[in-house]
Amino acid sequence: YRGGVVMAGDRRATMGSAIAMRDIEKGFSADDQSIIGVAGVAGIAIELVRLFQVELEHFEKVEGVGLSFDGKANRLGSLIRGNLAQAMQGMAVLPLFIGWDERAVRGRMFSYDATGGRYEEHEFCSVGSGSAFARGALKKLYDPEADEQSAVAALLQSLYDAADDDSATSGLDLTRGIFPLVMRANADGVARWSEQGVRELAEQIITARTGRPDGPRGYAL
């Protein structure tokens, strides 16, 4: 969005066709300027995130300066490549890495494949089992000139659509009060949206969906 980059993650973890957890967190602060979101095998993903966080902190303590944004993205790719043997057996982790690049003075994001290959995304990106449905929604809702709140609303709409078609993705659960995790990175650093802030947007979206279940109306030229 204009002035930064934002990430939202659903809260469902599955074990086969069963729901294992309804409130798992899939987004983490990597350091003061970057965020990592994960999809795939939960145990390996959390271990990878913790190792990545420690390595970034260690580098800064040893060198006296933080690793560059490209350096962070490259290092994360190396960690993913180290899991290749397990990924080939179906235990893959596919992260999404976003943050504020002080040198470029803009928000940036990278996606990865199971071999550790990194790809810079310039508009939006989605990962996980519901990613195809989320991406379809984001194609229609993405606005590079949006403010932060509008960008978050677009992400919540996309997660609603993903949950509508993918059983492994959770949506906006007003009954249990479980909502997507939302984090942003901009020139002021990394911050997590409050649950109340996410709830208020979620309630607006669900109210609007009551009248139009498939979401905001698009206009064809």
Side-chain angles (χ1 to χ4, degrees):
Y1 70 93
R2 186 182 68 247
V5 60
V6 66
M7 176 187 290
D10 83 296
R11 307 291 296 278
R12 178 173 293 175
T14 56
M15 186 180 299
S17 60
I19 298 174
M21 288 187 68
R22 300 181 188 275
D23 59 354
I24 192 171
E25 295 190 353
K26 303 177 183 179
F28 308 86
S29 172
D31 62 10
D32 292 339
Q33 295 176 318
S34 59
I35 301 165
I36 179 172
V38 292
V41 180
I44 298 174
I46 292 172
E47 182 181 349
L48 182 146
V49 168
R50 289 173 177 166
L51 178 59
F52 186 53
Q53 291 169 329
V54 168
E55 289 199 1
L56 294 186
E57 183 178 359
H58 178 72
F59 182 92
E60 186 169 357
K61 286 183 177 180
V62 171
E63 299 295 333
V65 294
L67 196 60
S68 70
F69 196 83
D70 284 293
K72 297 173 190 177
N74 288 338
R75 182 55 193 151
L76 181 54
S78 297
L79 292 177
I80 298 167
R81 191 175 304 112
N83 187 56
L84 182 58
Q86 290 174 288
M88 295 295 289
Q89 299 178 54
M91 294 183 288
V93 175
L94 295 177
L96 185 60
F97 182 59
I98 73 170
W100 182 259
D101 188 335
E102 283 190 326
R103 298 181 185 179
V105 197
R106 61 185 175 89
R108 299 176 68 189
M109 72 179 80
F110 288 92
S111 62
Y112 296 83
D113 61 31
T115 68
R118 69 176 180 88
Y119 312 94
E120 184 161 12
E121 307 287 348
H122 298 285
E123 296 179 337
F124 54 84
C125 184
S126 59
V127 295
S129 61
S131 61
F133 306 110
R135 179 179 289 271
L138 289 172
K139 281 184 177 181
K140 305 297 187 295
L141 300 175
Y142 171 71
D143 178 5
E145 297 302 317
D147 58 19
E148 184 177 323
Q149 179 161 316
S150 297
V152 172
L155 291 181
L156 296 186
Q157 292 278 12
S158 72
L159 283 174
Y160 190 108
D161 285 342
D164 202 33
D165 289 300
D166 176 57
S167 62
T169 303
S170 64
L172 315 178
D173 193 340
L174 285 177
T175 304
R176 296 182 177 85
I178 300 174
F179 302 98
L181 172 72
V182 177
M183 301 182 74
R184 68 101 172 110
N186 59 22
D188 295 326
V190 167
R192 174 172 173 165
W193 267 50
S194 68
E195 288 191 11
Q196 182 60 32
V198 178
R199 172 187 282 272
E200 290 174 0
L201 268 183
E203 288 175 344
Q204 294 176 31
I205 289 170
I206 290 174
T207 298
R209 292 264 183 165
T210 302
R212 184 172 175 78
D214 291 334
R217 182 182 298 276
Y219 295 93
L221 295 177

